[in-house]
Amino acid sequence: MFNTVALVGATGAVGRIMRQLLEERPLPAKTFRFLASKRSAGGTITFRGQDHQVEELTKDCFAGTDLVIATTPDEIARDYLPSAVEAGATVIDESGYWRMKEGVALVIPEVNPQDAINAKGIIASPNCSTTQMVVALKPLHDAAKVKRVVVSTYQAVSGIGLSGTKELEEGTHMHLHGQPYNYTAFKHPIAFNCIPQIGGEKEAGYTSEEMKMVYETRKILGDESILVCPTCVRIPVANCHSETIAVETERPISPEEARGLFESFPGIKVVDDIGSSMYPMPLNSTGSDLVYVGRIRKDLSHPNGLSFWCVSDNLRKGAATNAIQIAELLAKHRFGK
Amino acid sequence: MFNTVALVGATGAVGRIMRQLLEERPLPAKTFRFLASKRSAGGTITFRGQDHQVEELTKDCFAGTDLVIATTPDEIARDYLPSAVEAGATVIDESGYWRMKEGVALVIPEVNPQDAINAKGIIASPNCSTTQMVVALKPLHDAAKVKRVVVSTYQAVSGIGLSGTKELEEGTHMHLHGQPYNYTAFKHPIAFNCIPQIGGEKEAGYTSEEMKMVYETRKILGDESILVCPTCVRIPVANCHSETIAVETERPISPEEARGLFESFPGIKVVDDIGSSMYPMPLNSTGSDLVYVGRIRKDLSHPNGLSFWCVSDNLRKGAATNAIQIAELLAKHRFGK
């Protein structure tokens, strides 16, 4: 088993869910440590029946730690995680900073587990909107090679963190009462609105969130020829991202074949009966670790096209769950359990 | 000028806006009549400074009326509008019933005005999600021929009518207070959720709303070769539909050329500066008669592809405004004003 597992960013929105997952799921480890910024250090976290003091994250705090699971802003990941690697730890990073770096593994356990097993140094967990899409694309790619993807996202405010959830609730309340509300986590009011920008401008008029979907998809699937056209949109939903995905494959995949491929892939659940108004939705996907797929149908505009709808809990499979699953994968490989 | 103009469905969500538009804009007519179902008949409407009694819609109520502008459910349009044509009236219909019928004109005044001028009998106004997309596609189609469109919609609850708006407000209020709410206008809770179904199942797993976008687009643009892959999604926004549109044209159109084409087309306003977080959004498009376009960029997944974002007030340009503009077009053609 692991000797010491450190959870970095233990007090944030994703860190909370990671702790919850580590309570529920038996990652084998002797000791757990909880690290956070100076602001949150000193507090107490109760975990597996014991109180733990939250330690301050520093560059020399990693001695004796063999696994680090980190969920922090990009700059913190950039500044602190190399010290963890130097101290000999395996590092699983949820931030965006390391994902596309040469030599860093970018892993979804259902999709490319071997990349985690072969990794030296940091193993990155992908962006939330990418993860659920790539889980859904993988069985199609294996069966018929994905050539092109047009994806539009319907993203929840929890992706911003606790402030996003708080401001959606407060802003909506004030809107219903005809009162103004001063948003700081969003560039525009989010209550009863949608904002077609997530992240800053990156290149060619695309945002950073959109370009993550382009580049991370190729790296995880190990295929630089895959073309992706994304539009990322924030909508007034508390939790769970939804996506419309139109995919072109080298040979046509019928909706029936696609349904079978999705159903036999680990981590995917098909909910698909439009006649009975059954399909995945944010409200009924929250709290689950699965990627839900529905509205599976032939793309009417392309002979090799398939169109579907995909929903997943962005804080869980899109972040915390995927990182913990990577840790579990490593434990199984190293310790056989 | 018109002798008598009758507004059918005068008391509904779209009917209210039609009256408002007819107050603001000088459609030349001697007399206006307001018709509604038996339930709403007998009430009083104040219009252009005069009180009018709401008359009951019957099959023999159209004698002496030369223009009918109707916004009713499909079955009412089916049952009553032929009587208006027989009585000699020109009929502009906002419902879905007549749009795809042989011999019925389907018109957006900026796009295919001649079809209204040549029409005998009913002139239909398109579905809201189709109208804003086709206005945006038309200048691209004229310049470089549209071959394929992948569209995902983010549709407001006002598309359902007054009950949609009421249930979004009430359901959101109850959700914020942790209370259940019994929705009747929606198949699932809409507060803080999105529902990937608008209309019933139509064909091949697509909904009626989606198939409207396929067929109406071809009819309005007069090009049966245009391929459309739509996904229509209801989101918790009060008013204005948004759409992501990925379009392939016969020759490539650069974002710069597209911007110029959009800007010189009547009825379109470009709001497009991602660096300054400027783009169209539902909250700042409501109450306008324009189609707003932003996020104009090259489709990274196709050499002849262009991707953009489009927002419009579904009750106005998507419904009331388009019908009134058809009436104005006819007035100008017949009476020169």
Side-chain angles (χ1 to χ4, degrees), chain B residues 116-129:
Chain B
I117 290 163
N118 298 342
K120 317 232 175 301
I122 294 171
I123 302 168
S125 183
N127 182 49
C128 47
S129 54

Side-chain angles (χ1 to χ4, degrees), chain B residues 35-98:
Chain B
L35 296 111
S37 64
K38 194 166 187 168
R39 194 166 48 88
S40 299
T44 303
I45 277 173
T46 307
F47 180 78
R48 294 191 181 175
Q50 285 193 306
D51 283 352
H52 296 256
Q53 194 162 52
V54 179
E55 301 170 63
E56 186 186 342
L57 175 65
T58 64
K59 286 186 182 163
D60 48 14
C61 71
F62 295 109
T65 299
D66 46 2
L67 178 68
V68 171
I69 307 174
T71 172
T72 71
D74 286 7
E75 317 79 63
I76 305 296
R78 177 194 65 200
D79 293 347
Y80 291 87
L81 297 187
S83 322
V85 175
E86 280 163 35
T90 298
V91 176
I92 300 168
D93 178 29
E94 188 43 52
S95 89
Y97 186 76
W98 294 100

